[in-house]
Amino acid sequence: MKVRTPSAIPRGIQSPPSADSSSRSSGSICGSVNFKGGGFIVTALEIHERDAADCPMFKPLLETTAKNFSVKEVPADKAYLSHANLEQVDKLGGTAYIPFKSNSVQGEAGRLWEKMYLYYQFNREEFEAHYHQRSNAESVFSMVKAKFRDHVRSKCDVAMKNEVLCKFLCHNICCVIMSQVELGIEATFWKDGATPTINALAQELAGLVREI
């Protein structure tokens, strides 16, 4: 199973009309795991102010994903292109498929930047075949907005952020349930009377994901 991290900003989720537009927040998705029958789950999510820069979000989101999954491919748009981001993916054993900008240069010989730059220049079709997996992120946004609507009803920033987080949590649960049904995976439940902790819940979900 490959973990792809198509980083993007779901700016389509809107705050209520009465909220101050300057305080609206937007989320950043790090990655998605492809369930054969259940769609794509979100592996890391942060919510920042609407004008927050994309590039600095890359490392913490990738690190969060790597705690539970083996990172193999990371397709992302040009906003995430940097030496540090390419090297971060490489350290985790993956390959970053981030297109180079028109003013990008080859760089120092033998460095990862140069290798990926030459790969992008001379193997464009193969590179873009991996890069266009980023469209899975847009599919996730469409699924979330179609099922849980494209707006939030909360009034304050904290409540709005929590509402968006809940939307993506529910999306993940739906994907796991769909995969469980379609792939015939037997669910594991806690014993009667047991109250699982947050860590136990996270470990149980991670175990189910790895089995899929």
Side-chain angles (χ1 to χ4, degrees):
M1 177 178 63
K2 292 183 177 179
V3 176
R4 299 187 176 91
T5 57
S7 305
I9 302 294
R11 301 189 188 279
I13 297 179
Q14 304 171 352
S15 55
S18 59
D20 179 6
S21 61
S22 64
S23 65
R24 293 179 185 174
S25 300
S26 59
S28 176
I29 284 185
C30 175
S32 61
V33 179
N34 184 7
F35 286 132
K36 292 181 179 178
F40 297 87
I41 70 164
V42 177
T43 60
L45 174 65
E46 289 188 6
I47 299 177
H48 298 270
E49 298 306 315
R50 63 182 302 175
D51 296 323
D54 295 352
C55 197
M57 299 181 192
F58 188 91
K59 183 178 179 180
L61 289 169
L62 186 63
E63 289 175 342
T64 299
T65 296
K67 290 178 181 178
N68 298 303
F69 302 96
S70 298
V71 177
K72 300 299 183 183
E73 298 180 12
V74 184
D77 61 35
K78 296 179 181 179
Y80 298 91
L81 180 64
S82 73
H83 289 266
N85 288 345
L86 292 180
E87 291 171 1
Q88 179 67 19
V89 177
D90 185 65
K91 287 179 182 178
L92 295 173
T95 302
Y97 293 94
I98 307 176
F100 286 82
K101 301 175 183 178
S102 59
N103 61 348
S104 296
V105 295
Q106 183 170 330
E108 185 179 344
R111 299 295 297 273
L112 179 62
W113 177 278
E114 183 209 33
K115 294 178 181 178
M116 293 307 299
Y117 178 85
L118 295 177
Y119 179 37
Y120 176 71
Q121 294 295 336
F122 298 110
N123 295 278
R124 185 70 59 87
E125 185 175 350
E126 182 179 329
F127 184 98
E128 291 186 345
H130 292 278
Y131 166 71
H132 286 306
Q133 293 294 325
R134 195 183 73 84
S135 62
N136 293 328
E138 304 303 328
S139 297
V140 171
F141 303 152
S142 296
M143 292 171 70
V144 171
K145 289 190 284 186
K147 186 169 291 187
F148 306 110
R149 311 309 301 162
D150 62 350
H151 61 277
V152 293
R153 297 184 178 277
S154 304
K155 304 297 183 181
C156 67
D157 279 355
V158 173
M160 285 192 289
K161 290 179 180 180
N162 287 337
E163 189 173 341
V164 173
L165 290 172
C166 285
K167 287 177 185 284
F168 283 96
L169 175 60
C170 290
H171 165 79
N172 280 1
I173 293 173
C174 288
C175 288
V176 172
I177 292 173
M178 189 181 302
S179 296
Q180 172 194 321
V181 173
E182 293 191 5
L183 301 177
I185 298 171
E186 184 177 353
T188 300
F189 298 95
W190 294 276
K191 296 180 179 179
D192 293 338
T195 304
T197 63
I198 294 298
N199 289 336
L201 287 168
Q203 291 174 2
E204 196 71 29
L205 179 58
L208 177 60
V209 169
R210 292 192 183 95
E211 290 178 8
I212 295 174

